[in-house]
Amino acid sequence: MKSFLFLIFVASARCEEAQVATEEVIPLNAANFEHETQVTTGATTGDWFVKFYAPWCGHCKALAPRWEEVAKELKEGGKVNVAKVDVTQNPQLGKRFDIKGFPTLIFFSKGKMYEYQASEQWPRDVEHLVKFAEESYKTFDWEFTPEPITRIEELKKTASEFSTALIYYITHINEIEDNEYGFLFFGMICGGMMSLITYMFIGSLMGSPTNIQEIKKD
């Protein structure tokens, strides 16, 4: 009986250790990203190494345990925060940082962003990822960190897309009217875009978040 209880205790302790280990990587989302990281200013939270991923991505799954090790090593050094963003649940962050594939690894430092470009020279292993975050990122190309996308900017983009569709309709009206299904399909698109613009406009006035999902491919 004592042996059985001891085994339960050991298993429980190991589960707690595993849980602590997974907490080394900080989960970020659209709601807390800017507050936690302050990446546009680099003010008080330090440097951040962020993995943008999708749960279904095979490369992301393979990287996950190594990313935990990277977080552990960099935390011990006290230099870099390591985090992750599920882009399928936070598409606005994917748009903001122009995420086109998974996983995308970006290092943020003092208002600048450096993308880790995996290659034969720079594979996605723990040694090279840690080396990149500690010092070598300075040898990579960088861009200024983009500001958060506001509702007004989203509204402008949607309005611009609608205007483009409307202009196409006006310049091709004869072709579209001659095609019964084409006319119906175009009407559905225009109706949907007008509904979206109205929804986003009301949301911007009321402060309610938009939740437009987007699928990314590996």
Side-chain angles (χ1 to χ4, degrees), residues 143-195:
E143 298 178 40
F144 285 113
T145 304
E147 296 285 342
I149 299 175
T150 65
R151 295 184 190 280
I152 297 299
E153 289 172 338
E154 286 189 61
L155 183 60
K156 287 180 179 178
K157 182 178 179 181
T158 304
S160 175
E161 292 173 350
F162 173 74
S163 298
T164 301
L166 185 60
I167 292 172
Y168 179 86
Y169 170 73
I170 293 173
T171 56
H172 297 77
I173 187 169
N174 293 330
E175 299 174 21
I176 294 174
E177 287 183 344
D178 290 341
N179 186 328
E180 178 182 354
Y181 294 103
F183 185 74
L184 177 62
F185 180 68
F186 182 81
M188 292 173 62
I189 291 176
C190 289
M193 293 189 71
M194 285 301 295
S195 298

Side-chain angles (χ1 to χ4, degrees), residues 191-202:
M193 293 189 71
M194 285 301 295
S195 298
L196 179 61
I197 291 174
T198 302
Y199 170 72
M200 292 178 64
F201 178 71
I202 294 174

Side-chain angles (χ1 to χ4, degrees), residues 63 71 74 81 127 171-172 196 203 205 218:
L63 178 62
L74 291 175
N81 304 287
E127 178 185 355
T171 56
H172 297 77
L196 179 61
L205 295 178
D218 191 9

Side-chain angles (χ1 to χ4, degrees), residues 2-38:
K2 290 182 179 180
S3 298
F4 179 71
L5 292 175
F6 176 75
L7 289 174
I8 293 178
F9 173 78
V10 171
S12 176
R14 288 181 177 176
C15 287
E16 289 179 2
E17 289 177 2
Q19 184 176 3
V20 171
T22 58
E23 291 175 353
E24 301 290 353
V25 175
I26 303 168
L28 297 173
N29 54 51
N32 70 2
F33 189 92
E34 197 63 31
H35 175 73
E36 293 290 337
T37 65
Q38 299 181 25

Side-chain angles (χ1 to χ4, degrees), residues 27 34 55 73 81 110 113 118 129 131 164 179 216:
E34 197 63 31
E73 288 198 28
N81 304 287
K110 300 178 178 63
M113 50 186 281
L129 290 169
K131 181 180 179 182
T164 301
N179 186 328
K216 296 281 187 179

